[in-house]
Structures are given as structure tokens and as C-alpha cells.
Amino acid sequence: MAGTSDEPRKLKRSFGLLAVLGSILVVAGIVGLIYTGVATLTSMLVFGWLLLIGGLVGLVHAIESRGSEYFWLAVVVAALNIAAGVVVIRHPQGSAEALTLFAALLFLTGGLFRLVGSLVVKGPQFGWTLLQGVLGVLLGILVLGNWPESSRYVLGLFFSLVLLFDGLGLLAIGVGGRRIVKLVAEPEVHTGPEGPYGPQ
């Protein structure tokens, strides 16, 4: 069957594209880890454009559904997204400082909650929760202690690590998927009662 024989090729092509995309993300992540300052500004610009585009799409959607009772709420949310996107795009360094400060406070408060919660509850995951809390507090203190200089590399570091690990995941799926398709698509040797090579 022609359709059946084309399926393994299509699957291998799809997994190959995943592997290529994963390789690109891995390279981008490694470059970002080397040039964290550039990665920080890039991540802020990407974030700003996402806010701006999302706000414009939300505004168009709100206008199209202006008869609904949530019309003005949708307009306000869209306008805030557009304004935030413009601010981030025009002032990426200042936005990076603000977001780094916010992230450090999140690490600190989240770590404290985990730390206190693990000591009070002492559940089955006590050791793991305690370790998470200690690491969160330490990370928050480190970032806050070096702020605003830390804003030049913290977001870029996180952004690059996300790219790297996502790329490694896609690369593993792509390569593994191609191998599985190749194994499944290999022609089987039919060994009937007369042997694999026909009548003796």
C-alpha cells in the first residue's frame, strides 16, 4: 500500500524536524549562556513584543465582541498589555532590572514559605522541600545582594537554560523517534513452515 509506505517517511521527517529545531535551541541556549547580557536584552525584547502582539490581538477580539458584558474589561486588559509591551521594548534594561527584582523577591518569599512549611509539617517530602526552600532563599539573597548589576545576566541565564533544556528534550524526542520508526518500518523476514528462503 502506497499510503502505508509513506507513513514511516512522514514520521521520520517530522521527527527529523524536531531534532533540527532541538539542535537550534541547544545552540541558542549555549550562545546565550556565553553572552548572558545579550540574552537578557533579547529575552526582554521578545517578552515586550509578545505583550504588544497579545494586547493587539486582545483588543481586536474585544472590539469584535463589543456587545458582551466583559467588553470594557477586555479593552482595559488589552490596553495594559499594549502599554507594558511598548515600555519593555523601549526600555529593556530598566524592565530587566524591575523583573529581576521581582524574581528575586519571589525566590526569597517562596523559599521562606517552603522552608517554614517543611519544618512545621515535616511530611514525607521533608528533605526535598527543605532543600528547595534553602536554595530559594539563597538564590533570592544572591540576586538581591547584587542588584541591579545582577539584572544584566540573571534573566538571560534563565532564558538560555530554558532554551537549552527544551532543545535537549526536542533533540532526544526527534532522534529517538526516528530510531523507533526505523525499527518498526524495517521489512520483516517471514519464516513460514518452509523456512525463510522458500522451499528447500
Side-chain angles (χ1 to χ4, degrees):
M1 298 287 291
T4 306
S5 62
D6 285 342
E7 284 301 319
R9 264 185 221 166
K10 291 179 181 177
L11 283 173
K12 286 180 74 174
R13 195 179 301 119
S14 299
F15 282 120
L17 289 174
L18 280 180
V20 171
L21 178 60
S23 302
I24 293 172
L25 290 180
V26 167
V27 172
I30 293 173
V31 171
L33 289 175
I34 297 172
Y35 302 102
T36 50
V38 176
T40 296
L41 291 178
T42 302
S43 63
M44 293 311 303
L45 290 174
V46 170
F47 180 57
W49 278 108
L50 286 176
L51 282 174
L52 181 59
I53 294 170
L56 290 173
V57 171
L59 185 60
V60 170
H61 181 69
I63 293 172
E64 288 177 349
S65 58
R66 56 184 173 274
S68 66
E69 55 183 304
Y70 300 108
F71 168 70
W72 287 110
L73 177 61
V75 169
V76 170
V77 171
L80 288 175
N81 282 335
I82 293 171
V86 171
V87 169
V88 172
I89 292 170
R90 293 191 60 175
H91 306 285
Q93 186 60 48
S95 302
E97 291 179 4
L99 279 179
T100 302
L101 180 62
F102 181 66
L105 292 174
L106 278 182
F107 288 137
L108 188 59
T109 54
L112 285 173
F113 273 115
R114 285 193 179 95
L115 192 59
V116 173
S118 65
L119 294 173
V120 171
V121 177
K122 292 185 179 179
Q125 301 294 326
F126 168 73
W128 179 244
T129 308
L130 182 66
L131 179 62
Q132 283 182 316
V134 171
L135 289 176
V137 170
L138 287 176
L139 188 57
I141 291 173
L142 285 173
V143 175
L144 282 176
N146 198 29
W147 188 84
E149 286 78 12
S150 58
S151 63
R152 297 176 184 173
Y153 59 84
V154 168
L155 295 178
L157 179 64
F158 291 159
F159 182 63
S160 302
L161 287 174
V162 168
L163 288 179
L164 180 61
F165 287 120
D166 283 351
L168 288 173
L170 288 177
L171 187 59
I173 292 172
V175 173
R178 283 178 64 88
R179 287 179 182 172
I180 291 172
V181 171
K182 184 178 178 182
L183 289 173
V184 172
E186 281 181 352
E188 297 179 358
V189 179
H190 296 286
T191 58
E194 296 175 344
Y197 304 106
Q200 301 295 325

